[in-house]
Amino acid sequence: VMPNSKVHLKLPYLPYARQDRVMNNGESLAVAVFCKALNALSFESVTVTDCHSDVGLALINNVTNIIEIPEFKDFYDCIVSPDAGALKKSFKYAKLLGIKEVIRADKTRDVTTGNITGTEVYGNVDGRKCLILDDIVDGGLTFIKLGEKLKERGANQVDLFVHHGIFSKGKDVFKGSIDNIYSAYDWTEI
């Protein structure tokens, strides 16, 4: 890079974005550590695709967050927010897509083990086509448990759209709980 040149960085995924809070004493705030190093490089601008949380965005200088979603408008009756962290984003997606209802779901998690200990859905999904929207899927347990709960509550179809599809446990683990999976960045195919 030439001195005084302007460099623009595009990140399809912000590393450590999921480590946006300290869960146990003695842990670092990993996203803050990464963003401090990123800012030291003095990029003219940084563009991130669907950053996991506002914490990462707040820590990066000259950042823009891009959210791109397919046209799902006429295919689904409702959007399902998988947890409290995705609720604000789910309302934004619903407005962009013209989908009239967002159904909130919650999970309880044992922070020491990472295990999901409960899933709840607040709203009527009986006979409906549901689209779960979120930024990332890794092993998929959140979505598997949510899909099971939605089908138990009578949903006709449960599909999942995520920007970042890691699928560390493969995609077969979703059979029976998620009907279709869509991912803007499917890291299993790279």
Side-chain angles (χ1 to χ4, degrees):
V1 177
M2 300 295 296
N4 301 320
S5 66
K6 296 179 180 180
V7 178
H8 302 271
L9 177 65
K10 291 185 179 181
L11 290 172
Y13 178 73
L14 177 64
Y16 302 101
R18 294 171 68 198
Q19 286 80 33
D20 60 353
R21 65 186 69 108
V22 174
M23 301 299 268
N24 298 300
N25 289 335
E27 291 179 346
S28 68
L29 182 59
V31 70
V33 173
F34 179 82
C35 291
K36 183 176 180 180
L38 185 69
N39 289 335
L41 298 171
S42 300
F43 290 106
E44 183 71 16
S45 69
V46 178
T47 303
V48 178
T49 302
D50 200 5
C51 191
H52 179 70
S53 76
D54 293 337
V55 174
L57 295 174
L59 295 170
I60 302 172
N61 298 334
N62 307 316
V63 69
T64 301
N65 187 40
I66 295 175
I67 297 177
E68 301 166 340
I69 52 175
E71 282 292 324
F72 288 126
K73 184 176 181 173
D74 296 322
F75 299 107
Y76 298 98
D77 302 315
C78 61
I79 289 176
V80 179
S81 174
D83 53 34
L87 191 57
K88 184 169 71 171
K89 203 175 291 188
S90 294
F91 282 115
K92 185 176 183 175
Y93 286 140
K95 187 174 183 178
L96 287 170
L97 294 172
I99 296 173
K100 295 181 182 180
E101 188 172 3
V102 173
I103 294 181
R104 181 174 62 97
D106 284 319
K107 63 185 174 196
T108 52
R109 183 185 297 270
D110 180 331
V111 296
T112 58
T113 65
N115 293 331
I116 293 175
T117 57
T119 301
E120 189 55 60
V121 174
Y122 305 99
N124 180 14
V125 296
D126 189 36
R128 301 182 82 185
K129 291 170 60 178
C130 303
L131 178 64
I132 303 168
L133 287 167
D134 209 351
D135 62 327
I136 190 167
V137 61
D138 189 342
L141 191 57
T142 294
F143 306 110
I144 293 165
K145 295 291 188 187
L146 180 54
E148 289 170 355
K149 183 64 80 170
L150 291 168
K151 289 192 174 205
E152 175 185 306
R153 301 266 311 270
N156 281 348
Q157 182 172 334
V158 177
D159 293 350
L160 171 66
F161 173 78
V162 293
H163 271 97
H164 310 289
I166 297 170
F167 303 109
S168 62
K169 307 254 188 248
K171 294 178 186 165
D172 286 344
V173 297
F174 296 93
K175 287 184 180 171
S177 59
I178 303 293
D179 297 303
N180 299 292
I181 299 172
Y182 306 99
S183 177
Y185 296 96
D186 187 338
W187 302 107
T188 62
E189 296 175 2
I190 292 178

